[in-house]
Amino acid sequence: MVPYEPGTPIETVMRRYGLEDVVKLASNEMPLPPFPEVKAAIIAALDGLNRYPDGDAFDLRTALAERYRRPLEEIAVGNGTCEMLLHLGDAMLERGDEVVFADPSFIIYKDVCMLREARAVAVPVLPDFSHDLEAMAAAIGPRTKMVILCSPNNPTGNYLPAAAVAAFVERVPEDVLVVLDEAYNECVTAPDWQDTLPLQAEHPNVCILRTFSKVYGLAGLRIGYGLCPPPLKSALDKVRQPFHTNRLAQVAAIEALKHQDRVLERRSQNAAARQYLRDALAEMGRATIPTEANFMLVDIEDLCHPQHHVCTALMALGAIVRDGNGLGCPGWARVTVGTRYEIDFFLQRLRSLERPASR
Ligand SMILES: Cc1ncc(COP(=O)(O)O)c(C=O)c1O
């Protein structure tokens, strides 16, 4: 296996290139800190750190159950949704089982399979980079245990309308788990976006994963959650560590949930910044893929040469973005939507790498 390669941390780039001003647009984090009330809640909880956290995260699960009007047994939490995906593999997969997902999509899905010696059935996306739901449904076979839909999809940024998801789920056998990975759900502003939660009423084989890492600005604490059928919650309990989500993360997430007005504000801010980035790149003659998330694929093919790694060159100038090569999108860079300052910083570095002859 190849270890997961995250976006290079700011501190590493500062050290490596002797830079003071570095902007990281490589890991799809929100450019904003946690809400002030969340910071206060974390500080207030510090004195309790001599105690283990509640392994069952009762208070956080209760808060989520109230928010989504669901029974407590349907709420699972994890040390980030990454952990939950790995736990889903531990709980459900045996050697030779199959997992269907789109290609490219979140690279962890392949690891989930590999760790369990399951077969990754990665179905190429359509030319417009959207999930090929027809081909994905056709790829489900007798050994398929799980299908993962990622919406908005990482790294492409496009989303699946709820009606398309509903029609797809209808075609999935009841004994196959459908995982809807909705890490960027709160960023979507498309008018035809609808919540997928009602789907679960008729389809108990649907599990929805969401996270506090993105719009809530809590990536550093590691906390995510799943709305899932109770037997799946019980299965996840069997494979997790006793105290997998930490005390500060639980407290922070409970507080963060109380501030949905700020979530909406951040959604609009992200949408405006996304548009600004898209327009600026269009003015530079650069193609992007329409995105509803807080990141964007940017065409950099003209700047890619065997001896010239454009993302490395950008990094040396202090702009950390993600090379599409490692994400199944050669010729593209995945750029997180940052603040106006961060976007301008990136654009300025990108312009400095463009040579008139190459365009
Ligand atoms: C599609 C998708 N799912 C899940 C995650 C993991 O999020 P978390 O921080 O909750 O582990 C990410 C993170 O970038 C992601 O892009």
Side-chain angles (χ1 to χ4, degrees):
M1 280 185 75
V2 183
Y4 177 81
E5 197 186 317
T8 315
I10 291 178
E11 298 76 7
T12 308
V13 174
M14 285 178 155
R15 210 169 41 240
R16 192 180 295 163
Y17 298 100
L19 297 171
E20 281 183 9
D21 211 0
V22 173
V23 154
K24 184 181 176 210
L25 299 174
S27 299
N28 305 339
E29 296 135 332
M30 272 284 153
L32 302 169
F35 308 143
E37 296 84 351
V38 171
K39 285 194 215 170
I42 291 171
I43 290 166
L46 288 176
D47 277 345
L49 287 186
N50 53 317
R51 301 287 174 200
Y52 284 109
D54 173 3
D56 199 35
F58 178 85
D59 290 343
L60 173 56
R61 289 178 45 246
T62 303
L64 286 162
E66 279 167 14
R67 168 154 169 68
Y68 290 108
R69 298 197 178 85
R70 289 294 173 85
L72 196 58
E73 315 81 73
E74 291 186 15
I75 312 288
V77 298
N79 194 3
T81 39
C82 272
E83 184 196 61
M84 301 190 79
L85 286 159
L86 295 169
H87 283 173
L88 282 172
D90 291 340
M92 297 216 21
L93 301 176
E94 289 175 69
R95 176 187 290 183
D97 284 341
E98 293 178 357
V99 181
V100 176
F101 50 86
D103 189 18
S105 194
F106 191 32
I107 41 184
I108 286 286
Y109 306 154
K110 288 188 178 153
D111 296 345
V112 170
C113 296
M114 224 180 279
L115 282 165
R116 302 301 307 170
E117 297 181 75
R119 203 165 79 82
V121 181
V123 178
V125 294
L126 293 165
D128 69 354
F129 284 75
S130 61
H131 282 46
D132 187 346
L133 292 176
E134 198 55 44
M136 289 179 78
I140 297 172
R143 292 300 307 260
T144 308
K145 284 272 180 72
M146 216 190 304
V147 181
I148 311 176
L149 303 184
C150 187
S151 174
N153 187 35
N154 179 6
T156 57
N158 46 15
Y159 74 103
L160 289 162
V165 179
F168 177 81
V169 170
E170 283 292 336
R171 299 175 65 180
V172 179
E174 277 170 19
D175 59 352
V176 173
L177 181 72
V178 181
V179 179
L180 304 181
D181 183 346
E182 299 186 346
Y184 304 96
N185 157 69
E186 291 92 350
C187 294
V188 181
T189 50
D192 62 344
W193 170 257
Q194 277 173 342
D195 212 317
T196 49
L197 289 169
L199 269 181
Q200 289 183 310
E202 293 203 5
H203 300 283
N205 57 332
V206 171
C207 165
I208 299 173
L209 297 181
R210 293 183 182 175
T211 183
F212 289 93
S213 294
K214 306 298 174 184
V215 82
Y216 293 100
L218 292 173
L221 275 182
R222 316 300 306 120
I223 187 95
Y225 60 98
L227 299 141
C228 59
L232 189 62
K233 154 79 173 93
S234 308
L236 290 171
D237 279 338
K238 291 177 193 162
V239 297
R240 68 170 169 82
Q241 279 191 60
F243 306 107
H244 61 147
T245 63
N246 72 77
R247 194 175 265 276
L248 299 184
Q250 291 180 20
V251 163
I254 292 169
E255 185 60 38
L257 279 176
K258 296 179 191 161
H259 303 281
Q260 293 305 314
D261 49 336
R262 302 248 176 74
V263 171
L264 295 180
E265 247 171 55
R266 287 188 172 191
R267 171 180 306 178
S268 317
Q269 282 167 0
N270 176 66
R274 196 165 61 196
Q275 191 61 45
Y276 175 75
L277 175 60
R278 184 182 293 141
D279 291 349
L281 287 163
E283 242 171 65
M284 291 166 70
R286 296 218 164 268
T288 54
I289 303 298
T291 170
E292 285 290 324
N294 66 338
F295 55 85
M296 188 177 291
L297 279 183
V298 182
D299 186 352
I300 48 157
E301 196 165 16
D302 59 307
L303 297 175
C304 298
H305 311 290
Q307 290 82 21
H308 180 66
H309 298 280
V310 60
C311 292
T312 311
L314 281 167
M315 194 187 293
L317 296 171
I320 317 171
V321 299
R322 206 58 195 275
D323 191 339
N325 251 331
L327 305 174
C329 304
W332 298 83
R334 194 193 64 196
V335 181
T336 305
V337 175
T339 58
R340 185 63 71 92
Y341 171 79
E342 290 170 334
I343 293 173
D344 287 340
F345 185 102
F346 156 70
L347 291 169
Q348 194 267 327
R349 268 63 180 177
L350 183 62
R351 280 191 199 101
S352 75
L353 294 180
E354 290 183 333
R355 285 156 303 153
S358 68
R359 294 199 67 77

